[in-house]
Every structure is written in structure tokens, then in C-alpha cells.
Amino acid sequence: MLQLTRLLGATAVALAALAPLSAAPPATAASSPARTGTAAGPLVPPPVRDGDHLTVTVRDAGEGVDGTYELFCRPAGGSHPDPDRACAAVERNTRWGEDAFAPVPEGGVCTMQYGGPATAHVTGTWAGRPVDATYDRRDGCRIARWDRLVPLLPDLRLPGRP
């Protein structure tokens, strides 16, 4: 019984010692001279976004789709026109041990078709790995590689074709 009493006493002393550490008063705009507020409230720094972030630059794809877009995933956001579906497209092409942005293998057999002058450059971080990939549509293999990442990259397929 004496040991139980000592244990309870030691626990109470430890809790009493920790109480001042957790009882800090909340910071307010009035109590913090370094943070000035507006009529809407105190200024708050933007949230830190950890995780997947891609920058997509599209050229020569046509009016309305050329430009540079930011994409964040988990949660989806940024200036990309369709961040939810763009994140899903990259996720759909992500496989353990494989690079979702890998180039077309050299020496492969590709159909001789031309998909137009569009190019794209994707940089950033995906699944904790750096990304620096370029895309074009100069043959069937490269067109298929581009189309796998629609809508991360704009859909340039002819209307009526899958």
C-alpha cells in the first residue's frame, strides 16, 4: 500500500510540474506587437504545403490551354484548372518502383503519327521524388505518354476519338 501511495504522489508531483507548460495564454493581436491585424482579424501566415507539388508549363497546345499551372495534391489545389482530376491522373499512373514521369524508352517501335506541336514541361515533387519531365506529341508512343496524364496535361485528342 505504501508503494501505491508513493506512486500516486509522484504522479501528482509530475502533473503539477507540467501544468504551467500547458497553461500558456492564447496569443491575440493586441498582446503581440509583431503581428498586426486587419478588420477581419490578425494576419496569419499561409499554410505550409508538404507533399506533392508539380509545376506544369504547356506550350503550343492552343489558346486557353497554354500557360504555367501549379498543382498541389493531398489536398488538391493550386492554379491548375482541374486539380482533383489532375492529381488522380498522376496517382493512377504511379506504381511502386517505377517513375510515373519516365520518358519513352529509346529504341522502341512507335507509330509514325504526328500529334501536333504541343510541348509540356513538368517539374516538382511527386511521391517524395523530384520530377523534371518533358512531353511532346511527335509519334504514337509520345502521344500515348501524354494522353495517360490527361487532365494533368491538356486533352488534345480529336473530338469523337477515345
Side-chain angles (χ1 to χ4, degrees):
M1 184 65 163
L2 182 62
Q3 289 178 341
L4 181 60
T5 304
R6 285 183 181 168
L7 179 62
L8 288 175
T11 303
V13 169
L15 288 174
L18 292 175
L21 296 176
S22 65
T28 64
S31 67
S32 178
R35 287 176 57 131
T36 59
T38 64
L43 295 177
V44 178
V48 176
R49 287 191 167 263
D50 291 332
D52 301 325
H53 169 246
L54 299 172
T55 302
V56 182
T57 302
V58 179
R59 292 195 173 104
D60 300 321
E63 190 174 329
V65 291
D66 283 358
T68 298
Y69 308 98
E70 296 290 323
L71 176 68
F72 294 93
C73 297
R74 292 184 207 95
S79 62
H80 191 281
D82 192 352
D84 289 318
R85 288 183 55 229
C87 291
V90 181
E91 188 67 42
R92 184 175 58 244
N93 285 284
T94 300
R95 308 277 185 280
W96 180 256
E98 294 180 22
D99 182 0
F101 302 94
V104 173
E106 291 295 322
V109 177
C110 301
T111 58
M112 293 179 63
Q113 62 189 62
Y114 181 65
T119 61
H121 187 205
V122 180
T123 58
T125 304
W126 181 260
R129 300 178 72 182
V131 174
D132 187 357
T134 56
Y135 292 82
D136 63 48
R137 298 176 60 84
R138 68 179 174 216
D139 63 34
C141 295
R142 286 168 178 79
I143 293 170
R145 179 175 175 247
W146 178 296
D147 289 347
R148 273 193 304 274
L149 288 179
V150 168
L152 175 69
L153 303 178
D155 189 352
L156 301 179
R157 294 174 285 198
L158 296 174
R161 287 186 52 188

